[in-house]
Amino acid sequence: MSLTVLATTHRVAPGLLTWRAWDALRSADAVRLRDGHPLLPALLDAGVVPDLVEEPDPAVLVADARRADVLWAAAPEGDEALMRGIGALVVDDPLDVEVLHGSYDLPGARLLDLVSVMDTLRRECPWDRKQTHTTLVPYLLEEAYEVLDTVQEGDYGALREELGDVLMQVAFHSVVAAERDDGTGFTIDDVAGAIVDKLVRRHPHVFGDVTVSGADEVNANWEQIKAAERAEKSGADASALDGVPMGQPALSLAAQLQRRAARMGAPSGLAEGLAEEAGAGLGGRLFALVREAGEQGVDAESELRAVSRVFRERVRAWERREP
């Protein structure tokens, strides 16, 4: 006789079990689970009528399993205390005990937990409940910069945590948006679906029948696809500069505008005379320096950030020397 403990995950729909799990459920002399277990409707639909218990008693399960083949369907979150109790009972008096995994998490399954946690926080936490897209924006920017810091410092151990903070912001904005009923609402599934569609659309050499010779051709196709998307969205008013976020730091903004203009073949002379026209000689010179950095194949934002880090260390060294 034996005791089988069926383990499942709440991140997979109830009833989506392995063939071995269903075979064990149908062949067991007795199937037991807690009343309200998410598997119950699926079992009843399949003709498996289990015994319902309020809370399992390890001694009762073990005693019954010594007389018949008993299957216990563990709670999706696990039954650690129960398993410890069973283990203590069978140490001196062995029993054939098997843990059978009936379903497994798929890659990305923990994202379901994030969605659930954010929904709960939005309902039950006073601070989370009052947030809006506007109030959340500073946190998103802050978290993105923290990701940048970990990458530039080579602290890849911290990168996982910082990326999680960014992901939380995406989930937070999505749960806020899902509450709207004015036609502008969306869910995190809509967010994921939109980026999946975009990635598939912009990679015809992977998901379609387009053939490319290398990364340069991939980039050229990408720009053509983006241009077509802009034209479809904006019509005659479409511009290669559409989508450039004007709220980003000024150095990276200038660099992105210059890259976009260069890719579309805009004449380099458009940047001349900016200092005089804007009435700010310093701004014009900064814009020219960004252009110079681009011509040298370096990123002005990263260059200035690197120098700033050196300056920071010099100041710290000076602080240590000063009384």
Side-chain angles (χ1 to χ4, degrees), residues 43-258:
L43 295 182
L44 296 176
D45 285 345
V48 177
V49 181
D51 299 323
L52 303 181
V53 299
E54 290 295 329
E55 191 62 34
D57 184 332
V60 172
L61 272 178
V62 169
D64 290 347
R66 295 190 188 282
R67 298 189 296 268
D69 292 326
V70 177
L71 184 146
W72 169 255
E77 64 273 13
D79 271 325
E80 184 177 350
L82 175 65
M83 293 303 295
R84 283 187 181 145
I86 292 172
L89 291 169
V90 301
V91 168
D92 297 324
D93 189 3
L95 172 70
D96 185 8
V97 179
E98 177 186 12
V99 177
L100 174 60
H101 289 275
S103 57
Y104 301 85
D105 285 346
L106 297 173
R110 293 306 302 272
L111 295 175
L112 297 175
D113 291 343
L114 174 60
V115 172
S116 177
V117 167
M118 289 309 307
D119 284 342
T120 301
L121 290 176
R122 185 65 173 174
R123 291 193 311 269
E124 301 181 11
C125 174
W127 187 89
D128 290 282
R129 193 163 52 238
K130 73 176 185 178
Q131 300 310 306
T132 67
H133 293 304
T134 301
T135 63
L136 289 172
V137 164
Y139 301 105
L140 177 58
L141 296 175
E142 178 182 333
E143 303 299 355
Y145 280 123
E146 290 183 6
V147 169
L148 175 61
D149 278 346
T150 59
V151 172
Q152 292 187 334
E153 293 174 0
D155 190 358
Y156 297 128
L159 179 59
R160 179 183 66 177
E161 180 180 351
E162 300 303 340
L163 287 174
D165 291 339
V166 173
L167 182 59
M168 187 271 284
Q169 291 297 318
V170 175
F172 208 153
H173 278 279
S174 297
V175 76
V176 171
E179 298 169 358
R180 292 198 299 273
D181 57 4
D182 60 356
T184 66
F186 55 84
T187 68
I188 196 165
D189 286 322
D190 297 322
V191 173
I195 190 59
V196 167
D197 291 343
K198 181 185 291 186
L199 289 173
V200 171
R201 185 171 64 249
R202 293 186 180 179
H203 290 79
H205 56 288
V206 176
F207 301 103
D209 55 4
V210 173
T211 301
V212 295
S213 58
D216 290 341
E217 193 169 349
V218 169
N219 189 59
N221 288 344
W222 180 281
E223 292 301 328
Q224 291 179 359
I225 294 170
K226 287 174 64 177
E229 291 172 354
R230 288 193 296 267
E232 182 178 356
K233 182 178 180 180
S234 304
D237 294 329
S239 167
L241 302 183
D242 290 346
V244 175
M246 298 300 290
Q248 64 181 302
L251 279 179
S252 57
L253 170 62
Q256 187 174 5
L257 289 172
Q258 291 179 20

Side-chain angles (χ1 to χ4, degrees), residues 6 17-28 31 48 71 100:
L6 178 63
L17 305 175
T18 64
W19 173 255
R20 190 174 172 214
W22 275 116
D23 186 54
L25 284 163
R26 291 191 173 99
S27 61
V31 174
V48 177
L71 184 146
L100 174 60

